[in-house]
Structures are given as structure tokens and as C-alpha cells.
Amino acid sequence: MAILDDYLDIAKPHFSHIPASQLSITVFKDSLPAFNHLQTSATDQQAIIERLKPFTIISSMRERTPFPGALLRQLPNLKLLLATGTQFETFDLATASELGISVTAAPGRGRTDGKPSLAGRPARPKLDIKKGGSHPTTQHAWALILALARNVAFDDAAMKGPTKGWQSQLALGLTGTTLGVVGLGRLGAAVARIGCLAWGMRVVCWSENLTQEKADRGAEEVGLPAYGGNPLDPEAPTFAAVSKDELFATADVVSLHYVLSERSRGIVGAEELAMMKPSALLVNTSRGPLIDDAALYDALEKGRIRGAALDVFDIEPLPADSPWRSTAWGTQGRSNLIITPHMGYVEDGIMHTWYEETAENLERWLRGEPLLHRLN
């Protein structure tokens, strides 16, 4: 079995109880380029094939390694692909079925057989969102919003740097401002809920097929009233469905929570960025290609908005020579920029829960029992 993209080396203890006579495990802590990315060379594609070709079982972490049909057809030994998370747009499930490869998910609900977690690790609490529970990405989105608004990263760097600086700029207060949510699904609604409850933010939202009725239902599903959730406008919808243009023109903070597809690729481009207020913030914890990279770089380089925070990128891990890694952001008229290494889901509880679920399915496969959470 190959365990892929285990950057922080946390997976192997979850499988240590399986005898070596039954299973040989190889852990890869690095990452290879995405097989089907336009910038991935034929040489790199062959390196991916050679790495994965020997394995009967592969344990993947989210979509860090995509599995398009062209790659699956080059892996004749593969019988079981153990995926994690809930989105599998980069997995060709039809080709996997055709080739007799079983693909399973790890939805993050824990083992079904009652076996305990790893020794010394507390059970992951399960809280309803109406009582404060939320996905780790929700927390990370707000960490980035607050870090931008309150100048946390920039003041920290200034105080520790060679200038030993103090108070880089005024913070942006969020109370009563407008939060624009692009994609009002489970995560978008959770982010909107916090803005509404914590700072009385007006929430506007947009997606291709969003109606006010759906937005009202989204508010109610997270424990808010359909109308009157904003104390500044008690007659208005708590989550107001608006046009895309209105969202980008009026929001003080824009947060992306959209599913990536061919239709949504580049959904934020030069036109949308030009509509934003000079004081606005843009946060992406969803998928890198939702934003036109070149357009965003140009807007930030010219200081057209106050700042952006990116947790996701077109190529991950972010190349060492990426211009996003510059320390010049926030200086000489450039916008502020915070970048994090796709940490939205990299939290102790959910990561270990995924590996626990993966271990349970692996045990079932080795015993010849039906698999859980099958995707094909």
C-alpha cells in the first residue's frame, strides 16, 4: 500500500496494527505534480506512473493527487483507492469502475465498528452547526479574514523584522460591514452565520443557481431566521441573494466557497476584481483556479484592493519560485497578501478521523468484507 501526500507524517500509526505479513506500507511525504495539469511535463507524468505502478492499494489525501482516467489506466496493479474527504471531481470514477478499481471515501464521521481512536487522542467532538459546530475550513476562512482585517501577519512581521516596527496601518473594523459569500453551500452558510452573529455583518450571496428562497433556507439550516438576522436592517433577508456584480461591488469582504468545475474555473477575473471597493478584502479557501491568477496578481500588484488571503493555489504545493511567496506584498503600493499552505482542512481532529475510517475500510478489504462509503 502507498500512503500519498502525508506531509506531516501522521498516517502510519493508524495502520500499525496490521501485520506486515498481510500488508507492506510505503509512505510518501512529498508530492508530485498533478498528472493532468497543463504544466506537467511528459517526464513528470512518467515519474508519477513509476511511483504508483507497483501498488495494489493507494491511500490518498483529499485531491492532493488527482486520479484521472489516463493515470488509472497506467496502474495495472491497483485494486483499491482509499480516498478522504467529500469532493472527488479529480477522480475518474467511471474509469476506475471499468478497470475494477474500488474507490471509497472517508467522510469524517469516524469508525463504524466502535473501535477506539489512537491511544492518547481525544475523540473528535460532534456539534450541530446550530450549536456552534463547523467544518475546519470555516475556522480557517475566519482566521484569514481577521488576520487581514486586523493586520495580524503584517504587524507580526514588522515587529520581528529588522526595522522593529510598530502599528503598520489602521485595522478594518467588521461590525456592520458587508460580507459577500460566493457559493452558499454548507461551508459558505457557516462562514456567513459567523459574520452575522459575531459582528452584525450584512450578508449578500451569489451562485449561478441561487434564489432568495434557497438563501432563506440556507439561513434557517444554520439556525438563523430567514429575515431579520441583520440588526441594521430587520426587514431584510438574513442572507440576501444578489447578482454577481452587486456582490463584488458592495462587499467589504468577499469569501469564496464554490465547487470547482470547468464552468466555475476563473469565476473571479479582472472584471470582478475591478468592481471591488479599494478597501475590500478577498479570501479564497475553496479552490485556487476559481480565481484568474494573472488578474489577481495584477490587481494586488497595483494595490487595487486592500488585501487578499489565499489558502489554495492552481499548483499545490506552491512552487518555491511562485511570485505569491514574495515578501514585497503590502509595500510600495501593493495590496496586502496572506498565504497559507492549504490548511483549511489540516486539523488534528478531521485528519486523524479520515485515517481511522481509511484503516477500517482497509481491514474490511483484507478480510474480504463489503467496503464502506463506496464511490463506485
Side-chain angles (χ1 to χ4, degrees), residues 55-107:
F55 297 102
T56 308
I57 306 166
I58 292 175
S59 170
S60 68
M61 177 48 62
R62 292 283 297 267
E63 296 172 287
R64 289 177 180 176
T65 297
F67 284 92
L71 174 58
L72 292 172
R73 293 185 187 282
Q74 300 296 319
L75 305 178
N77 298 314
L78 184 60
K79 302 300 179 189
L80 177 62
L81 179 54
L82 298 159
T84 53
T86 56
Q87 293 186 12
F88 306 100
E89 286 79 11
T90 63
F91 286 49
D92 188 337
L93 298 177
T95 298
S97 297
E98 175 192 331
L99 298 172
I101 301 168
S102 298
V103 186
T104 67

Side-chain angles (χ1 to χ4, degrees), residues 231-260:
L232 299 178
D233 193 353
E235 303 300 319
T238 301
F239 294 170
V242 299
S243 69
K244 187 181 181 186
D245 286 1
E246 182 178 344
L247 185 148
F248 279 91
T250 62
D252 299 290
V253 178
V254 175
S255 188
L256 303 188
H257 304 280
Y258 218 88
V259 174
L260 178 63

Side-chain angles (χ1 to χ4, degrees), residues 180-196:
V181 176
V182 178
L184 192 70
R186 179 171 56 99
L187 298 183
V191 167
R193 175 184 184 271
I194 293 169
C196 183

Side-chain angles (χ1 to χ4, degrees), residues 60-196:
S60 68
M61 177 48 62
R62 292 283 297 267
E63 296 172 287
R64 289 177 180 176
T65 297
F67 284 92
L71 174 58
L72 292 172
R73 293 185 187 282
Q74 300 296 319
L75 305 178
N77 298 314
L78 184 60
K79 302 300 179 189
L80 177 62
L81 179 54
L82 298 159
T84 53
T86 56
Q87 293 186 12
F88 306 100
E89 286 79 11
T90 63
F91 286 49
D92 188 337
L93 298 177
T95 298
S97 297
E98 175 192 331
L99 298 172
I101 301 168
S102 298
V103 186
T104 67
R109 295 192 291 267
R111 293 185 67 118
T112 66
D113 56 8
K115 289 186 178 179
S117 304
L118 287 177
R121 198 180 72 80
R124 181 168 170 243
K126 296 178 175 64
L127 291 175
D128 185 274
I129 191 170
K130 296 179 182 179
K131 299 178 181 177
S134 66
H135 192 278
T137 302
T138 304
Q139 298 176 38
H140 198 69
W142 273 107
L144 293 177
I145 294 170
L146 290 170
L148 270 178
R150 308 302 305 183
N151 306 319
V152 174
F154 311 104
D155 283 342
D156 176 77
M159 291 177 72
K160 294 174 181 174
T163 63
K164 306 302 178 188
W166 189 257
Q167 294 188 355
S168 57
Q169 58 185 308
L170 292 172
L172 174 67
L174 296 177
T175 301
T177 58
T178 298
L179 171 63
V181 176
V182 178
L184 192 70
R186 179 171 56 99
L187 298 183
V191 167
R193 175 184 184 271
I194 293 169
C196 183

Side-chain angles (χ1 to χ4, degrees), residues 2-8 10-11 14-15 28 30-31 58-67 81-88 90-91 104 106 287 316 342 345-348 350-358:
I3 298 175
L4 303 184
D5 305 309
D6 185 16
Y7 304 153
L8 302 177
I10 67 169
H14 290 280
F15 308 99
F28 294 101
D30 62 343
S31 182
I58 292 175
S59 170
S60 68
M61 177 48 62
R62 292 283 297 267
E63 296 172 287
R64 289 177 180 176
T65 297
F67 284 92
L81 179 54
L82 298 159
T84 53
T86 56
Q87 293 186 12
F88 306 100
T90 63
F91 286 49
T104 67
R287 291 291 185 273
E316 296 182 8
H342 204 156
Y345 64 92
V346 185
E347 180 184 278
D348 176 85
I350 191 67
M351 295 285 284
H352 283 291
T353 299
W354 282 338
Y355 281 128
E356 288 167 5
E357 293 170 326
T358 299

